[in-house]
Amino acid sequence: ALNYVLDASTIDSQRQPNFQPTQRGANCIHYQAPESAPQAPCAIFAGRTVVGPGWCQVWAAKPA
């Protein structure tokens, strides 16, 4: 339902028009680890980990 993918570079921008090429799991506010971590818990996917190069449609930028 959230269109999670393991590799954001595979996203079809026609199907996900809100996606921007700079968006990755690792730079999302919901990613519960430093950007350098290969995987981390996610605040959206409770009890699960996501990968740094991944993406879902709930992506939101981490504050600077």
Side-chain angles (χ1 to χ4, degrees):
L2 299 177
N3 296 307
Y4 177 72
V5 296
L6 294 172
D7 183 354
S9 69
T10 65
I11 293 175
D12 178 355
S13 61
Q14 297 288 342
R15 296 180 77 189
Q16 295 297 332
N18 294 328
F19 171 74
Q20 297 297 311
T22 58
Q23 298 174 348
R24 298 285 183 269
N27 64 13
C28 176
I29 194 168
H30 305 294
Y31 196 74
Q32 305 295 303
E35 284 189 41
S36 60
Q39 64 183 22
C42 175
I44 298 300
F45 296 100
R48 300 190 181 234
T49 58
V50 296
V51 295
W55 181 87
C56 86
Q57 66 187 28
V58 183
W59 183 92
K62 283 186 179 178

